[in-house]
Amino acid sequence: MTRQTSPLLLALIAALAVSPMAAAQRVPRAENGRVDLLTYPPQGLQEPRLVNRGEVAWVETVRPEYAVRLLDDAASRVRPRHGAIIPAGSLLFGMRVTRGYAYCPRIDFNAPVRRVQCLRDFNDDGVFDGGYLTRNSGVNTQFLANIVHALDRIVPVRYEAVEPSDALETSSRIVFERLRGGQAQFSRYVDNERIVTNQACEPLADSPELCSFLGVTLRVEPVGDAIRITLIDSPDIRQLNVVMTNTALPTRN
């Protein structure tokens, strides 16, 4: 599996003790969001195609790498802000936090209030015992929040892990931006959030007529300001790590 990391991203993970009862007190109560995604082979490149600047070159299915299903309702929160109930049976995606994961329901980034609860299991016993709230201003994807904060204990909630193939999914589109120095540059969007910006399709050392963009091997031929793309090869699954580090953490919850 090829790991691809967006240029938005750098994360600093603190090494902290996480005994079951002390964990909630020792890990940060607020952190920037990070999510590990799996991307699948390109769609729309079965035949060579001509792509103009600003057009979608191809699309890919994207799923969270880590996901769970709730076996109990997660009760609503009222402090410090409202967090809606999460019903039993809901699928939650994993966001990486200090020495573990918080699991969140799909975020409706078009909603007037985007806040959701995210749940955490501090002793890996299959029961969530802590919870965060999200802050999600300006992030336009259902699988990432700017911040998780307001960590607190919750009424225990049982869950079970699910395979990525059974998890939530969305689409990612790859947009051709421009030719620069003879190289095609693309941006990647997940939902409406641009997470890779103007990244070149890099020539392969042993086959310079081909290039690689985020693990996908292509033949790209300039046609004026446009390009003709031929798909050469793509792994069945690739990994994409998305981390928000440009949002100030709250000093108060």
Side-chain angles (χ1 to χ4, degrees), residues 23-54:
Q25 299 172 356
R26 295 196 176 189
V27 301
R29 298 193 72 229
E31 301 188 47
N32 289 120
R34 168 175 173 170
V35 65
D36 300 329
L37 300 174
L38 300 177
T39 66
Y40 295 81
Q43 303 164 28
L45 291 181
Q46 293 84 355
E47 301 290 339
R49 60 174 304 190
L50 186 70
V51 183
N52 295 305
R53 291 185 63 178

Side-chain angles (χ1 to χ4, degrees), residues 208-225:
E209 74 279 8
L210 305 179
C211 64
S212 177
F213 179 77
L214 298 179
V216 176
T217 303
L218 306 167
R219 176 178 286 110
V220 177
E221 303 167 281
V223 182
D225 289 334

